[in-house]
Amino acid sequence: MKLLEGKIAVVTGAARGIGKAIALKLASEGASVAITDLAYNDAAQAVENELTAMGVKAKAYASNAADYSDTQKVVDEIVKDFGRIDILVNNAGITKDGALKRMTEDQWDAVISVNLKSVFNFTRAVQPVMWKQAGGSIINMSSVVGVSGNANQCNYSASKAGIIGFTKSAAKEMGVRGIRSNAIAPGFIETEMTAALPEEIRKSWNEKIPLRRGGTPEDVANVTLFLASDLSAYVNGQVINVCGGMNT
Ligand code: NAP
């Protein structure tokens, strides 16, 4: 028996990177998976096909996670197509880094909307479904910089710290109904998001990591699987760092 047989998962921002690895991991343990991304493009379609080829039900949806009404609409569609939602992974995220003295209002608003408001949007929309089912697991993608801060990332680290507060409050509010909420704080994970950083910054990050390597999307997906499954049935309101020991 696979860990997630019969479960329905929603993963936001899953056309590539960590979200894609999570969708594939959950499917490999038997979950049916709805993925969302900004557009239903070639990348989203390729993930949808890969999931379907694994023998699970899968569908990709175009949805802007930062938009409240768009999110309500897509969650309604997912429930219509899949019947229920057992696992929600709030993964969609962006960076717009810069020194605070030069950070624009647009840089601030975009990062807070996509990273933090999206967690409210999706959790708000999915919560009645899980409440009715009397169970569910919500996993929010924070970051080590949400725990410890980072120069030139005031917007990003504020969004990721906000996710931690949100996760802990949701855990306290919805635990009574068997709905668990936890956060993952990845460190330096090799994706397109970190590939955009200058080589010297990437090198200096690696030197700070006790395991002396960047993480892989699969490293994060494995912890997501743990939090999505009943292996973590008594884990609620926690933040798990997946950072090779960088944050201790
Ligand atoms: P990524 O490679 O840039 O992928 C992000 C995904 O989110 C993309 O598919 C992107 O879609 C999607 N997305 C962006 N804005 C969206 C929106 N408004 N609505 C729906 N989807 C949207 O990033 P990643 O490295 O996989 O990161 C995934 C999550 O982990 C993020 O929350 C990130 O902050 C967090 N994280 C990453 C690291 C790291 O080292 N990589 C570390 C800590 C935390 P498009 O393809 O259309 O742009």
Side-chain angles (χ1 to χ4, degrees):
M1 174 87 173
K2 292 183 169 178
L3 281 171
L4 302 178
E5 209 75 67
K7 303 280 188 197
I8 311 293
V10 177
V11 186
T12 69
R16 57 190 168 90
I18 293 170
K20 175 182 175 183
I22 289 170
L24 294 173
K25 180 61 67 179
L26 301 183
S28 75
E29 284 296 332
S32 295
V33 187
I35 64 163
T36 76
D37 216 290
L38 270 176
Y40 184 69
N41 55 17
D42 288 353
Q45 202 176 349
V47 178
E48 182 183 59
N49 291 342
E50 213 175 320
L51 291 164
T52 307
M54 293 166 83
V56 299
K57 181 170 170 172
K59 191 166 172 186
Y61 300 80
S63 140
N64 179 0
D67 186 296
Y68 183 79
S69 48
D70 209 21
T71 303
Q72 291 285 334
K73 206 169 115 241
V74 80
V75 168
D76 287 347
E77 269 180 65
I78 292 168
V79 172
K80 200 161 129 261
D81 293 342
F82 287 82
R84 54 187 288 127
I85 297 174
D86 302 289
I87 299 154
L88 168 65
V89 184
N90 282 309
N91 167 78
I94 57 168
T95 51
K96 290 202 181 290
D97 298 348
L100 185 56
K101 63 185 170 195
R102 281 188 295 275
M103 188 171 284
T104 64
E105 188 182 0
D106 282 352
Q107 278 174 300
W108 174 267
D109 287 344
V111 169
I112 297 296
S113 296
V114 176
N115 295 7
L116 181 57
K117 191 179 174 203
S118 64
V119 175
F120 164 70
N121 290 344
F122 264 91
T123 310
R124 176 72 184 82
V126 165
Q127 179 258 350
V129 181
M130 290 186 170
W131 197 266
K132 215 188 287 170
Q133 292 166 188
S137 177
I138 298 167
I139 299 140
N140 297 324
M141 211 49 70
S142 180
S143 165
V144 288
V145 310
V147 179
S148 305
N150 196 29
N152 302 318
Q153 287 198 310
C154 281
N155 51 356
Y156 185 77
S157 60
S159 73
K160 296 300 185 181
I163 286 175
I164 292 173
F166 183 98
T167 303
K168 293 185 178 198
S169 298
K172 289 188 172 169
E173 194 172 319
M174 300 195 287
V176 66
R177 199 69 181 154
I179 303 166
R180 299 184 294 111
S181 301
N182 292 287
I184 296 177
F188 184 81
I189 310 297
E190 304 277 1
T191 66
E192 284 175 45
M193 183 179 271
T194 45
L197 293 169
E199 185 54 34
E200 66 270 19
I201 293 190
R202 293 164 49 79
K203 200 163 159 261
S204 80
W205 275 82
N206 272 334
E207 281 161 6
K208 286 185 214 146
I209 301 169
L211 291 182
R212 291 291 183 278
R213 67 168 178 89
T216 64
E218 199 174 7
D219 290 324
V220 181
N222 284 330
V223 178
T224 309
L225 171 63
F226 167 69
L227 290 174
S229 76
D230 288 344
L231 290 177
S232 60
Y234 204 54
V235 181
N236 190 27
Q238 304 304 308
V239 183
I240 302 185
N241 290 356
V242 182
C243 64
M246 188 169 71
N247 248 29
T248 51

